[in-house]
């Protein structure tokens, strides 16, 4: 685990398609009871994607700090800032605000893959489709907030299309 506290354990694994890439994850505290978790995927590959990733990661983190109560508002702010850079790239983001006191989380999805909650009883629950756009292309977009909860023993899995578009040994995509 890269983080462990209050019945929450975070694990992460990153395997770039090339030596450098634009996929990234982050987590940080907004305050003592609220944790931010995000995963993102920058368009393109290689050095240009990695460069944009550093800009996007810092921009999203700052937007969360400035909008600590609503991930949709943070996505809106991050989008406005990334559009101002006019770099002709975009980033999909799944952004979670987890509240330790209520054990609930709210989220926003800017064009990213749906996460899945692997229930302790074996069920898989995909959630988080918001039909919102990726960040960095179109200004003045509205983003939506959803809410979700999970039980002790459940596992929340966040991933990028690097997983779903990877090939199995028979050359088929793994898919979701």
């Amino acid at each position: 685990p890269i983080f462990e506290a209050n019945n929450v354990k975070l694990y992460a694994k990153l395997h770039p398609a090339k030596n450098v890439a634009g996929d990234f994850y982050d987590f940080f505290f907004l305050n003592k009871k609220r944790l931010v978790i995000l995963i993102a995927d920058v368009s393109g590959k290689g050095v240009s994607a990695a460069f944009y990733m550093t800009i996007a990661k810092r921009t999203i983190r700052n937007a969360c700090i400035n909008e600590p109560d609503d991930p949709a508002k943070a996505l809106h702010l991050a989008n406005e800032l990334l559009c101002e850079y006019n770099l002709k790239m975009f980033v999909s983001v799944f952004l979670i605000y987890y509240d330790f006191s209520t054990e609930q989380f709210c989220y926003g999805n800017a064009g990213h893959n749906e996460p899945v909650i692997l229930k302790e009883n074996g069920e898989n629950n995909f959630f988080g489709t918001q039909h919102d756009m990726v960040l960095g292309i179109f200004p003045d977009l509205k983003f939506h907030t959803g809410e979700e909860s999970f039980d002790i023993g459940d596992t929340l899995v966040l991933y990028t299309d690097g997983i779903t578009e990877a090939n199995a040994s028979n050359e088929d995509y793994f898919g979701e």
Side-chain angles (χ1 to χ4, degrees):
I2 57 175
F3 171 81
E4 190 171 345
N6 300 14
N7 292 323
V8 173
K9 295 179 186 174
L10 298 180
Y11 298 83
K13 192 94 161 173
L14 181 64
H15 291 284
K18 296 185 175 188
N19 290 334
V20 293
D23 291 6
F24 66 95
Y25 62 89
D26 197 6
F27 71 95
F28 55 93
F29 284 92
L30 288 172
N31 56 44
K32 289 181 180 180
K33 69 174 190 160
R34 184 162 289 171
L35 175 69
V36 173
I37 304 167
L38 70 96
I39 189 164
D41 185 0
V42 170
S43 60
K45 299 199 181 330
V47 173
S48 61
F51 173 73
Y52 191 78
M53 179 268 297
T54 61
I55 293 169
K57 187 173 181 179
R58 179 51 58 193
T59 300
I60 295 165
R61 184 181 272 243
N62 289 340
C64 291
I65 291 166
N66 284 294
E67 292 290 351
D69 298 320
D70 187 349
K73 288 181 180 178
L75 289 172
H76 174 79
L77 178 57
N79 183 59
E80 294 304 301
L81 294 168
L82 290 170
C83 284
E84 284 180 18
Y85 295 136
N86 198 25
L87 295 175
K88 308 293 187 223
M89 295 184 80
F90 60 87
V91 59
S92 68
V93 180
F94 199 90
L95 177 63
I96 295 172
Y97 286 9
Y98 178 73
D99 190 312
F100 282 103
S101 61
T102 65
E103 297 183 345
Q104 300 282 319
F105 64 89
C106 56
Y107 61 86
N109 185 351
H112 200 76
N113 303 76
E114 288 183 279
V116 62
I117 296 175
L118 307 176
K119 305 293 282 177
E120 196 168 39
N121 67 9
E123 285 181 39
N124 298 332
N125 297 331
F126 285 87
F127 71 96
T129 299
Q130 302 286 44
H131 305 291
D132 292 339
M133 292 287 296
V134 294
L135 306 182
I137 299 293
F138 301 110
D140 302 321
L141 293 178
K142 181 170 174 57
F143 295 90
H144 301 87
T145 300
E147 293 185 9
E148 194 64 49
S149 63
F150 52 93
D151 300 316
I152 292 177
D154 292 349
T155 300
L156 172 64
V157 179
L158 305 170
Y159 58 94
T160 67
D161 63 8
I163 295 291
T164 59
E165 294 176 1
N167 292 58
S169 59
N170 65 0
E171 297 301 315
D172 288 340
Y173 288 130
F174 281 128
E176 291 182 345

